[in-house]
Amino acid sequence: MNKYIIAVDGPSAAGKSYLSKQISDKLGIVYIDTGAMYRAVALYFIENNINIENKNEVEDALNNIDIKFDRVNEELHIFLNDEDVASKIRTEEIGMMASKVSAIKSVRYDMIDRQRKLAEDDSVILDGRDIGSVVFPNADLKIYLTADEKERAKRRLLDLKIKNPNCSFDAVLEDIKKRDYNDINKPISPLVKTDDAVLIDTTNMTKQQVIDKVILLLKERNVI
Ligand code: DC
């Protein structure tokens, strides 16, 4: 079978990771969560007090960062210099820092390079903000996944409440708005829907409907 690439882009909390993981399991292909990569870099920068205004410091730090993905009990975990940081990176603090570090040119070039290498040998599904626009402009299928911001805040709140029952809807909604603004207005690789990406608005769709839609698109295009 031919090797293929599926790009899933869209704003924060649109359900990109869930969709990508399900498609990866269903089709037996590799899943690369590129947001987790930016989060791992953010965690490293925080833990090592890296001054993000200092170019040399940032570049040196990138050279000391090793990122790997591996399955742990059926779940995809990310390893930062061999430490499993899958859970540590899922906080709002790391999310905000990831948004900042992802606007640094050297960080982006480095991550894009790593993402292309990870996809060299296998069929992959990647999710992020710039996969269809920058990382893999020739992807076999490009999805732009979105949902209304209140619906996304509702979904994110459900996730966050597992760890922190005191999270408020308003705070999460504010955070989503801020992150959307940063993602869309980044001077490099801003979040955009490319003309050839298929828009899927999941506001009124079930998770299964979204998965079925993507499988149908892949079949229609003879990708699978
Ligand atoms: O999807 P996420 O929330 O885990 O992503 C964390 C941050 O990284 C988010 O602010 C956007 C940024 N990001 C990016 O700029 N490019 C990507 N390909 C993936 C994520």
Side-chain angles (χ1 to χ4, degrees), residues 96-134:
M96 283 317 286
M97 183 63 171
S99 174
K100 281 191 198 145
V101 306
S102 71
I104 304 171
K105 218 187 222 167
S106 56
V107 172
R108 286 214 84 82
Y109 287 158
D110 187 288
M111 291 302 116
I112 291 169
D113 206 40
R114 289 175 198 237
Q115 287 151 19
R116 289 186 179 145
K117 285 202 181 103
L118 283 170
E120 249 163 22
D121 301 323
D122 304 291
S123 290
V124 290
I125 181 162
L126 303 97
D127 75 341
R129 305 292 191 288
D130 61 340
I131 309 304
S133 58
V134 176

Side-chain angles (χ1 to χ4, degrees), residues 8-13 16-17 33-39 89-90 94-103 108 111-112 115 127-131 135 156 179 182-183 186 188-189 191:
V8 181
D9 290 300
S12 197
K16 301 186 298 293
S17 300
D33 176 350
T34 67
M37 296 173 73
Y38 287 98
R39 284 172 182 264
I89 58 166
R90 298 288 157 203
I94 298 293
M96 283 317 286
M97 183 63 171
S99 174
K100 281 191 198 145
V101 306
S102 71
R108 286 214 84 82
M111 291 302 116
I112 291 169
Q115 287 151 19
D127 75 341
R129 305 292 191 288
D130 61 340
I131 309 304
V135 189
R156 175 62 46 96
R179 244 193 274 173
N182 287 351
D183 287 342
K186 268 202 300 260
I188 40 167
S189 299
L191 172 65

Side-chain angles (χ1 to χ4, degrees), residues 4-216:
Y4 56 87
I5 290 175
I6 308 170
V8 181
D9 290 300
S12 197
K16 301 186 298 293
S17 300
Y18 179 82
L19 170 69
S20 304
K21 164 133 198 333
Q22 295 301 311
I23 298 288
S24 128
D25 286 348
K26 211 174 160 73
L27 303 180
I29 62 174
V30 175
Y31 166 39
I32 301 170
D33 176 350
T34 67
M37 296 173 73
Y38 287 98
R39 284 172 182 264
V41 171
L43 176 67
Y44 183 93
F45 282 14
I46 290 177
E47 287 186 339
N48 293 279
N49 290 317
I50 304 300
N51 173 6
I52 61 171
E53 309 294 337
N54 183 326
K55 256 174 112 179
N56 293 336
E57 220 177 290
V58 167
E59 278 169 24
D60 285 347
L62 287 169
N63 288 329
N64 291 321
I65 292 178
D66 176 64
I67 294 175
K68 281 194 204 85
F69 287 99
D70 210 349
R71 297 236 161 199
V72 177
N73 305 326
E74 298 297 305
E75 294 293 325
L76 185 75
H77 282 216
I78 185 163
F79 292 78
L80 169 63
N81 294 336
D82 293 327
E83 181 193 350
D84 183 348
V85 294
S87 152
K88 255 190 184 174
I89 58 166
R90 298 288 157 203
T91 66
E92 288 303 274
E93 185 204 0
I94 298 293
M96 283 317 286
M97 183 63 171
S99 174
K100 281 191 198 145
V101 306
S102 71
I104 304 171
K105 218 187 222 167
S106 56
V107 172
R108 286 214 84 82
Y109 287 158
D110 187 288
M111 291 302 116
I112 291 169
D113 206 40
R114 289 175 198 237
Q115 287 151 19
R116 289 186 179 145
K117 285 202 181 103
L118 283 170
E120 249 163 22
D121 301 323
D122 304 291
S123 290
V124 290
I125 181 162
L126 303 97
D127 75 341
R129 305 292 191 288
D130 61 340
I131 309 304
S133 58
V134 176
V135 189
F136 288 108
N138 297 321
D140 299 270
L141 176 66
K142 298 182 188 178
I143 303 291
Y144 188 88
L145 199 72
T146 188
D148 154 310
E149 60 189 21
K150 286 203 173 124
E151 177 62 27
R152 287 188 281 129
K154 222 165 72 190
R155 294 177 191 170
R156 175 62 46 96
L157 187 66
L158 283 176
D159 276 353
L160 291 172
K161 279 216 157 164
I162 299 169
K163 272 197 194 163
N164 176 4
N166 299 324
C167 281
S168 85
F169 176 81
D170 289 344
V172 176
L173 180 61
E174 265 323 293
D175 191 74
I176 284 202
K177 284 184 183 169
K178 239 188 263 168
R179 244 193 274 173
D180 283 358
Y181 181 86
N182 287 351
D183 287 342
I184 292 166
N185 294 290
K186 268 202 300 260
I188 40 167
S189 299
L191 172 65
V192 281
K193 180 197 160 302
T194 57
D195 289 342
D196 55 352
V198 180
L199 176 80
I200 304 181
D201 182 337
T202 70
T203 309
N204 297 306
M205 289 172 84
T206 63
K207 290 175 174 175
Q208 192 57 45
Q209 282 173 330
V210 182
I211 296 166
D212 292 345
K213 167 96 185 154
V214 172
I215 296 290
L216 186 70

